[in-house]
Amino acid sequence: MTQHLTDIASLPEGAAEALIRRAIELADGASPRRLRGEVAHLFWEPSTRTRVSFELAALRLGLGSVQVDPSRSSSTKGETLEDTVRTLAAMAPAALVVRHADAGAPDRIVEWTAGTGVVVVNAGDGARAHPTQALLDAATLAHEGIDWPSARIVLLGDLRHSRVARSAFALYRRLGVVDLRMAGPRALMPESDDAAFDGVRRYDDLDAALADASVVGCLRIQRERIRELALPDDATYHAAWGLTAARAERLPADARVLHPGPINRGIEIDPAVADGPRSRVLRQVAMGVHLRTAVFEWLLGAETDTRSA
Ligand code: CP
């Protein structure tokens, strides 16, 4: 059966830990394997980090790589997503890397490509899941030796519309983190029955959430997913819910700050914090290439490893 990566739940037991270990090996200088085949990258939503890092990962593994630009594809002529996907799968790439605004699109693509052997990798679907972001964040922290059971991890900002938060909490729970927290304005907090946030403590006082935190993950307001929500102006939001320089100063000395990017400076995070000593933002970006290399090795390596070639 073809293994896909559509969300954290799609990872078999032990796979997350193995991917994180392999990403760290690659970050420390291990050579990527040599694989055969091609990857098609289909990004129906904009992306810098995820799109380029998946492409670089494919190239480092010796895989062919092709970007499918939806704005120049026949989807602009009325072709359905299903027909586009079936058409591309008929060309027999090894993998489709997919970002789409619709939650669940990667799972539908898995159904449409069943029996073709094409691997589907989710690069972010709606507000539902962004599994490789969660894995690369965890690899960034594991590279620095974080102790998962004693970690105190806070995500702040727009939780409601965040696929990053949903995947992050799913993964942190798997890795054994007990103290998970979230803080944000009421309008941007998830519904109380959203199972993705089970076991995550809610705070309506950001400073209380941040007290003794070991990891603070800042989340951008996902304006592209918000229709009718009255939000305060940027300066008011920053003062109430941003990781300001003063708040960062009060964090424990060894606390690390994450942000998946893109950053909206001066809104969810102060520029001085984003560029400061606690920030791991660019380490996350670098780890993204290694983690996605590890993902391709795992999903495509079994039959195509040509290490001895
Ligand atoms: N973190 C993230 O998904 O960034 P991009 O939208 O630039 O890929």
Side-chain angles (χ1 to χ4, degrees), residues 43 46-51 99 123 130 133 163-164 260-262:
F43 279 66
S47 168
T48 298
R49 281 145 284 269
T50 312
R51 183 174 55 81
R99 170 170 287 191
H130 195 349
Q133 181 70 50
R163 57 193 176 206
V164 171

Side-chain angles (χ1 to χ4, degrees), residues 100-124:
H100 202 282
D102 291 348
D107 294 301
R108 291 199 295 283
I109 292 171
V110 166
E111 287 170 22
W112 297 330
T113 58
T116 64
V118 175
V119 164
V120 178
V121 183
N122 183 4

Side-chain angles (χ1 to χ4, degrees), residues 14-43:
E17 292 85 346
L19 287 169
I20 291 166
R21 272 197 307 275
R22 181 59 180 155
I24 290 171
E25 283 175 12
L26 292 164
D28 288 341
S31 297
R33 297 165 71 175
R34 299 294 296 173
L35 306 181
R36 288 203 187 104
E38 299 90 22
V39 178
H41 310 263
L42 293 85
F43 279 66

